[in-house]
């Protein structure tokens, strides 16, 4: 690769990776992804309430874990967002921008990890470049993903773990980063202990020779994680993992059904299959192996949700596939601490995700970063060693060919992302609520009661965010109303969050907002908010009905006389 001058300047290549990565993550940030989903709104509004009152939406002072919709998110993103809101105000762009910085930090962390892995700057810079242009890494950096910071923290921790072989005291720094990552995400809370335990077993002789550093690191990591542990035990943080796990009634029922059929058929031999542990093991293995399938990694055919992936776009570029395979083969021929850690990381990354129902999952699989890119660059280097002995024309063709193939696939991703993705996923991202809140604010002076549909989810959080409702009013509203999983606000002043009906319009000065389905066909909405569509005729999203409509008044009068 020395045929090209830029490869003699890996620092420049790293700068290009950071700059390109930043631009791909920040351009049109408030437009793509479209809308602003309720999880984003919840995290951002909690940051707003912290900025205004020092308490979250439930009135808790600077919490490490925020209850949100009963899924108990990390509160650290909301806390980190506070200075941005104090400086620039509350908006979609401001809420998402810190995650852009986390995405850039992931590029830097990946470079640092690869620098320790390869012990050279050039391959490390190439890994950073692959992360910078990765559709996977780009997309997750463009919306509010409150636990995303746990990924670069884990990558940095892995890098310091690699350094510890020659600099044992770096083990303490690694422990601090690993312990800090535990604050952010459930998957990391399983992955990190498994990674460290396996690494300890595979390198037990080194750990036995450095007992002092190991013990100090364990103690230091424990004290760093202690506030999280206290918060975890005082909050029901495992409600969400339990709700989405494979250990649910459905799979247990499958085992019972099999047991019933084997009993009726007098075939006790099938008891080896029809039991709960076997059913769970089958579910886990199928999901685990799916994480390595080409359909999931390269073609975008196994997508958990339109919000987490782009249709027809894989998590990795297809051009990476041959280099990834070669890199895995070449790395398997070596038996070093670095390769053992990389393969351990590769094999353990999908374990937590495989325990969930909607698996493989693009977000839960982020733990793979930057290992796929490490092995891909390993494959490139392996091939380059063969090519570099050939003439310069072949060398140039190899480098230019790789560049053009990656550029073509990047353009394909950007085409899908900017021209198709917004319209295809607008409903998944709850697009239209910003417009709804603005319309309601315009109509509010003219009505005494406003009923907002709950047909699309959690409308109250959008009114809190886009309407910048006074946190003290919102906090009091939560205290005054009954606790409900996934939504505790039933009303805010004039606003009532429920499914409206024609009878509601018989009350004077009432506004009812429905989903696109509307009320009875005989009633015509006086206003409509449509779906996002830049290229074709948009469809109705919200419909507005007023009790002052003459047709509605006539219908109500007729019904009252019957």
């Amino acid at each position: 690769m020395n045929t090209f001058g830029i490869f003699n300047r890996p620092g420049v290549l790293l700068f290009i990776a950071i700059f390109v990565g930043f631009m791909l993550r920040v351009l049109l940030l408030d437009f793509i992804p479209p809308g602003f989903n309720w999880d984003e709104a919840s995290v951002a509004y909690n940051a707003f309430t912290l900025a205004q009152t020092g308490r979250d939406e439930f009135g808790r002072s600077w919490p490490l874990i925020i209850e949100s919709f009963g899924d108990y998110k990390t509160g650290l993103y909301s806390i980190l967002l506070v200075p941005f809101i104090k400086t620039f105000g509350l908006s979609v762009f401001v809420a998402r921008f810190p995650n852009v910085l986390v995405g850039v930090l992931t590029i830097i962390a990946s470079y640092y990890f690869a620098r320790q892995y390869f012990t050279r700057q050039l391959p490390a810079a190439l890994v950073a470049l692959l992360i910078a242009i990765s559709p996977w890494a780009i997309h997750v950096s463009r919306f509010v993903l409150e636990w995303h910071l746990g990924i670069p923290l884990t990558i940095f921790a892995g890098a310091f773990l690699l350094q510890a072989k020659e600099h044992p005291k770096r083990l303490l720094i690694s422990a601090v980063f690993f312990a800090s990552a535990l604050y952010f995400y459930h998957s990391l809370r399983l992955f990190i202990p498994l990674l460290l335990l396996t690494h300890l077993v595979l390198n037990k002789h080194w750990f036995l020779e450095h007992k002092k550093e190991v013990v100090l690191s364990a103690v230091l990591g424990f004290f760093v994680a202690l506030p999280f542990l206290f918060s975890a035990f005082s909050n029901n943080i495992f409600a969400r993992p339990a709700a989405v796990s494979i250990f649910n009634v459905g799979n247990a029922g499958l085992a019972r059904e099999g047991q019933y059929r084997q009993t009726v058929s007098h075939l006790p031999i099938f008891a080896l299959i029809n039991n709960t542990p076997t059913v769970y093991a089958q579910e886990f293995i199928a999901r685990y192996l799916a994480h390595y399938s080409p359909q999931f990694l390269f073609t975008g055919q196994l997508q958990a949700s339109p919000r987490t992936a782009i249709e027809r776009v894989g998590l990795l570029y297809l051009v990476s596939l041959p280099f990834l395979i070669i890199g895995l083969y070449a790395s398997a021929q070596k038996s070093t601490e670095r390769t053992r850690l990389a393969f351990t990381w590769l094999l353990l990354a999908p374990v937590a995700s495989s325990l969930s129902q909607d698996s493989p999952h693009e977000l839960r699989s982020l733990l793979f970063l930057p290992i796929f890119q490490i092995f891909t660059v390993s494959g490139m280097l392996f091939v380059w060693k063969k090519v570099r002995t050939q003439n310069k024309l072949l060398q140039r063709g190899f480098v230019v060919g790789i560049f053009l193939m990656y550029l073509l696939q990047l353009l394909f991703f950007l085409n899908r992302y900017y021209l198709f993705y917004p319209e295809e996923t607008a409903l998944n991202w709850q697009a239209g609520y910003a417009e709804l809140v603005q319309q309601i604010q315009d109509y509010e002076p003219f009505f005494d009661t406003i009923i907002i549909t709950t047909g699309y989810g959690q409308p109250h959080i959008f009114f809190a965010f886009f309407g910048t409702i006074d946190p003290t009013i919102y906090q009091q509203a939560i205290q005054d109303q009954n606790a409900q999983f996934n939504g505790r606000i039933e009303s805010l002043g004039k606003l009532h969050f429920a499914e409206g009906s024609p009878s509601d319009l018989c009350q004077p000065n009432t506004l009812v907002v429905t989903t696109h389905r509307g009320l009875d066909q005989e009633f015509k909405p006086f206003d409509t908010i449509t779906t996002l569509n830049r290229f074709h005729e948009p469809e109705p999203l919200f419909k507005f009905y007023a009790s002052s409509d003459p047709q509605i008044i006539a219908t109500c009068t007729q019904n009252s006389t019957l």
Side-chain angles (χ1 to χ4, degrees):
M1 297 185 185
N2 293 334
T3 306
F4 293 82
I6 192 171
F7 293 113
N8 294 321
R9 304 172 65 186
V12 174
L13 199 60
L14 175 61
F15 174 80
I16 292 173
I18 293 173
F19 177 76
V20 171
F22 176 77
M23 297 306 294
L24 288 173
R25 285 157 176 77
V26 78
L27 291 177
L28 298 177
L29 183 63
D30 52 354
F31 177 69
I32 302 175
F36 195 67
N37 72 51
W38 53 56
D39 287 321
E40 294 184 284
S42 174
V43 172
Y45 186 70
N46 272 283
F48 178 68
T49 65
L50 287 170
Q52 296 293 315
T53 68
R55 297 179 179 275
D56 71 355
E57 61 178 311
F58 295 96
R60 297 162 187 159
S61 179
W62 300 101
L64 294 177
I65 296 173
I66 290 175
E67 184 175 339
S68 189
F69 302 119
D71 49 358
Y72 293 91
K73 300 174 172 68
T74 176
L76 293 181
Y77 189 94
S78 294
I79 292 172
L80 293 173
L81 187 55
V82 166
F84 290 90
I85 290 176
K86 280 183 170 291
T87 305
F88 303 105
L90 186 63
S91 69
V92 171
F93 184 93
V94 170
R96 289 175 170 176
F97 185 72
N99 201 36
V100 171
L101 301 182
V102 173
V104 174
L105 185 62
T106 301
I107 298 172
I108 298 170
S110 299
Y111 169 84
Y112 192 69
F113 183 96
R115 180 72 176 83
Q116 315 314 313
Y117 183 86
F118 291 107
T119 68
R120 289 189 292 154
Q121 288 183 299
L122 176 57
L126 292 175
V127 168
L129 189 59
L130 290 182
I131 296 290
I133 64 172
S134 163
W136 195 5
I138 291 170
H139 180 55
V140 300
S141 302
R142 292 184 58 90
F143 56 91
V144 176
L145 187 61
E146 72 280 357
W147 57 263
H148 190 195
L149 184 56
I151 298 300
L153 289 176
T154 304
I155 297 171
F156 274 123
F160 287 114
L161 190 61
L162 286 176
Q163 285 184 335
K165 183 176 182 180
E166 296 186 3
H167 306 281
K169 291 184 179 180
R170 298 290 172 88
L171 196 61
L172 280 78
I173 304 176
S174 178
V176 170
F177 276 92
F178 274 131
S180 300
L182 296 176
Y183 283 77
F184 288 92
Y185 195 44
H186 301 296
S187 295
L188 291 171
R189 292 160 196 159
L190 178 60
F191 169 74
I192 290 173
L194 289 177
L195 179 71
L196 291 176
L197 180 61
T198 308
H199 186 68
L200 186 151
V201 172
L202 294 176
N203 301 276
K204 56 181 177 296
H205 296 298
W206 185 91
F207 282 98
L208 289 173
E209 293 171 0
H210 299 85
K211 294 178 183 177
K212 179 182 176 181
E213 287 82 2
V214 172
V215 172
L216 287 175
S217 298
V219 172
L220 179 60
F222 174 76
F223 277 105
V224 171
L226 197 57
F228 161 72
L229 295 175
F230 278 123
S231 186
F233 284 113
S234 61
N235 291 280
N236 188 19
I237 70 165
F238 298 108
R240 176 63 176 171
V244 301
S245 78
I246 59 174
F247 307 109
N248 58 28
V249 176
N251 288 326
L254 181 62
R256 288 194 296 271
E257 177 65 20
Q259 291 165 356
Y260 166 74
R261 295 188 183 200
Q262 80 186 32
T263 302
V264 172
S265 304
H266 303 289
L267 294 170
I269 184 65
F270 291 125
L272 295 172
I273 306 300
N274 297 313
N275 59 79
T276 303
T278 300
V279 170
Y280 288 150
Q282 291 173 331
E283 293 291 323
F284 173 81
I285 292 171
R287 286 164 169 75
Y288 179 85
L289 294 177
H291 286 85
Y292 302 100
S293 68
Q295 291 88 346
F296 178 63
L297 293 176
F298 295 101
T299 63
Q301 293 175 298
L302 287 178
Q303 296 181 334
S305 165
R307 273 168 50 176
T308 58
I310 298 90
E311 187 178 1
R312 299 178 61 192
V313 177
L315 304 181
L316 305 173
Y317 291 122
L318 193 58
V319 64
S320 297
L321 179 57
F323 296 113
L324 177 59
I325 295 172
I326 294 169
L328 289 168
Y329 169 79
S331 300
Q333 307 307 305
K334 306 172 184 178
S335 182
T336 66
E337 182 188 4
R338 296 193 298 273
T339 56
R340 287 196 296 268
L341 179 63
F343 275 105
T344 300
W345 197 306
L346 178 71
L347 295 174
L348 293 178
V351 169
S353 177
S354 302
L355 293 171
S356 63
Q357 298 170 32
D358 52 345
S359 183
H361 196 283
E362 295 80 10
L363 297 186
R364 300 189 189 106
S365 301
L366 276 177
L367 277 64
F368 276 118
L369 298 179
I371 300 302
F372 280 130
Q373 289 75 15
I374 293 281
F375 284 121
T376 299
V377 171
S378 297
M380 291 179 179
L381 296 178
F382 184 86
V383 175
W384 175 250
K385 288 179 180 178
K386 309 295 183 183
V387 173
R388 68 185 301 178
T389 61
Q390 308 301 314
N391 61 61
K392 287 191 175 184
L393 181 61
L394 184 59
Q395 295 177 26
R396 291 180 179 273
F398 173 74
V399 175
V400 172
I402 292 176
F403 172 79
L404 291 177
M405 284 188 287
Y406 272 106
L407 179 61
L408 183 63
Q409 294 205 288
L410 174 62
L411 290 175
F412 177 79
F413 157 62
L414 295 177
N415 173 69
R416 294 293 310 175
Y417 200 53
Y418 288 95
L419 297 185
F420 293 87
Y421 187 75
E423 279 73 19
E424 291 174 347
T425 63
L427 291 179
N428 301 96
W429 286 97
Q430 286 88 51
Y433 271 102
E435 293 82 357
L436 173 64
V437 173
Q438 181 61 57
Q439 289 285 73
I440 294 298
Q441 287 177 333
D442 292 341
Y443 290 135
E444 187 172 7
F446 306 102
F447 294 93
D448 296 329
T449 302
I450 300 175
I451 300 174
I452 309 295
T453 176
T454 56
Y456 294 131
Q458 327 288 339
H460 64 275
I461 197 64
F462 296 106
F463 281 87
F465 175 82
F466 290 112
T468 57
I469 290 176
D470 185 333
T472 58
I473 295 176
Y474 189 91
Q475 291 163 350
Q476 187 59 50
I478 284 185
Q479 300 303 322
D480 292 343
Q481 298 179 40
N482 293 327
Q484 305 174 54
F485 179 77
N486 227 25
R488 297 177 65 163
I489 299 291
E490 297 176 351
S491 63
L492 284 169
K494 294 181 180 181
L495 306 179
H496 300 270
F497 305 107
E499 287 304 294
S501 65
S503 61
D504 291 318
L505 291 170
C506 294
Q507 303 301 317
N509 297 322
T510 298
L511 170 65
V512 172
V513 181
T514 72
T515 66
H516 64 282
R517 294 184 181 86
L519 295 174
D520 291 348
Q521 291 185 354
E522 60 181 282
F523 295 152
K524 300 299 181 184
F526 74 90
D527 199 358
T528 302
I529 291 176
T530 58
T531 57
L532 170 68
N533 200 317
R534 296 167 293 171
F535 308 105
H536 301 287
E537 187 69 25
E539 297 179 354
L541 181 63
F542 293 106
K543 293 182 176 180
F544 294 71
Y545 300 86
S547 59
S548 57
D549 183 285
Q551 185 181 12
I552 292 174
I553 292 174
T555 301
C556 290
T557 302
Q558 180 180 1
N559 291 340
S560 66
T561 59
L562 293 179

